[in-house]
Amino acid sequence: MLFFLITCSLSFILFYKSLSLKPLASSASEMRLLSIWFWKDFSLFPIAESIRNTLLGVVHKLFSPIMSPKKNKNFYSKVENLEITSDMSVLDLPDLVLECILEKLPTEGLCRMASVCSSLRERCISDHLWEKHMKNKWGRIISTAAHREWQWHIASRKGSIFSNQGKQRSLMGYLTLLWPISLIRSSFGNIIKKDFPPADSIMSWYLALESGNFWFPAQVYNRENGHVGFVLSCYDAKLSYDRWTDTFQARYPPHGRRASAVETGVTWDRLRAPPVDNSPHDLHISDCLNELRPGDHIEIQWRRNKEFPYGWWYGVVGHLETCDGNANYCPCHDSETLVLEFNQYARGSRWRTKSLNRKDHREEGNEADGFYGGIRKLKSNEETSVWKKLWPAEVLE
């Protein structure tokens, strides 16, 4: 009887073990793919560990839709326990798989991979990999004017933007966030001398923005920390990014004899790309005057005197004094007189309303009340909602 029980128990154990091996066998192709793992060209362990974790996540995501939850869990745990052998390289991966992995890497990962060897460096500086990162982080505030200024910037320098000593320090400063300084020196010492990254690459532009060494044009809402004289306005400035605080330094154009104002700690939500591509000293030619009706949201150029640059000020189209506001009998849109309301100011304030000639509007005003320039109609709820978020807590006098 005892012999029979022992025999049955052994049979059951062997049968169970055979079942537990089946998931591994059925995923043999995936395991063979992962067994290529690394690292004949990738000897820096901290970097290897980071990239290895990224690769595990990518491969796990690729294969998870075709695997059951239990099988998925077993597969992932076995992949994590794979040993790195000296005769394996990431370059042995099929091109499509390697490309998929690189597309999943953050900017830090791409920089790290670029330090491995010349083959990976060529892949990791590819514009199509950096376009996504550029758009995700900088797309909302980078304009045609900023891109044009970047082109002028690199045209004035031959080779890489990091080719001189000062710029080498800039790149080093950015990379110290990613690796210990000893690893940076050993990995990038020769690369920087060989114009890495190329000056005309998107990677180069991204790193220049990230390092804060490239000042680019954009616009700032409620300039100078919300100074009461600039509430619900948006002014042009040159911006430099501070990666330590994730904020910006803004340098505004000088106003007449006044020196350039500088503001620090400007947050992302107070920035935008210029809506029109012209100098802040130039009049915007309005193309929406005939279509403006009461209730439309607008921005209008305004400056204190003709030595000042224009800022954009938020307002709405109002009704004529002779109109009772009845939409069925409102003649305001047929009138040559256009009434603008700035409701952040109290009733009776000289800044509350402004009447302009709709038919032949150019800059008009005087030294006492300032000069009103071009008008642009706000056509999206997104633009309008930004202004509403900036609305002052109290009515201005």
Side-chain angles (χ1 to χ4, degrees), residues 315-362:
V316 294
V317 179
H319 292 274
L320 299 168
E321 290 185 3
T322 57
C323 178
D324 60 5
N326 188 326
N328 295 323
Y329 303 100
C330 177
C332 297
H333 63 276
D334 294 324
S335 173
E336 290 186 3
T337 300
L338 178 67
V339 177
L340 302 180
E341 296 180 349
F342 304 94
N343 295 322
Q344 64 269 34
Y345 295 99
R347 294 185 181 276
S349 169
R350 62 174 177 161
W351 307 111
R352 173 80 177 197
T353 62
K354 179 64 179 177
S355 297
L356 303 173
N357 188 320
R358 187 197 299 260
K359 185 177 181 180
D360 187 27
H361 171 63
R362 302 288 294 177

Side-chain angles (χ1 to χ4, degrees), residues 47-66:
I47 302 176
E49 183 66 22
S50 175
I51 303 299
R52 174 180 176 274
N53 291 337
T54 303
L55 293 176
L56 290 172
V58 171
V59 175
H60 175 59
K61 183 178 291 187
L62 287 173
F63 290 109
S64 58
I66 59 174

Side-chain angles (χ1 to χ4, degrees), residues 208-238:
L209 290 168
E210 192 79 11
S211 67
N213 288 286
F214 174 63
W215 290 74
F216 62 95
Q219 292 184 343
V220 183
Y221 293 100
N222 291 5
R223 59 173 284 180
E224 298 182 33
N225 295 310
H227 186 287
V228 67
F230 297 105
V231 172
L232 291 192
S233 69
C234 197
Y235 275 80
D236 285 80
K238 286 290 188 70

Side-chain angles (χ1 to χ4, degrees), residues 158-178:
K158 294 182 180 180
S160 171
I161 60 164
F162 301 114
S163 59
N164 60 49
Q165 185 177 0
K167 295 302 180 179
Q168 283 188 32
R169 287 197 297 269
S170 302
L171 179 59
M172 285 293 188
Y174 175 68
L175 294 177
T176 52
L177 299 177
L178 311 180

Side-chain angles (χ1 to χ4, degrees), residues 41 177 308:
D41 295 315
L177 299 177
F308 281 32

Side-chain angles (χ1 to χ4, degrees), residues 149-214:
E149 188 146 332
W150 170 248
Q151 295 299 319
W152 291 339
H153 178 76
I154 61 176
S156 65
R157 291 165 172 78
K158 294 182 180 180
S160 171
I161 60 164
F162 301 114
S163 59
N164 60 49
Q165 185 177 0
K167 295 302 180 179
Q168 283 188 32
R169 287 197 297 269
S170 302
L171 179 59
M172 285 293 188
Y174 175 68
L175 294 177
T176 52
L177 299 177
L178 311 180
W179 301 282
I181 190 64
S182 60
L183 294 184
I184 296 174
R185 288 172 178 167
S186 63
S187 300
F188 277 88
N190 294 326
I191 293 176
I192 294 175
K193 296 176 183 178
K194 297 177 181 178
D195 296 338
F196 174 82
D200 59 352
S201 67
I202 296 179
M203 178 184 181
S204 181
W205 189 14
Y206 185 99
L207 294 181
L209 290 168
E210 192 79 11
S211 67
N213 288 286
F214 174 63

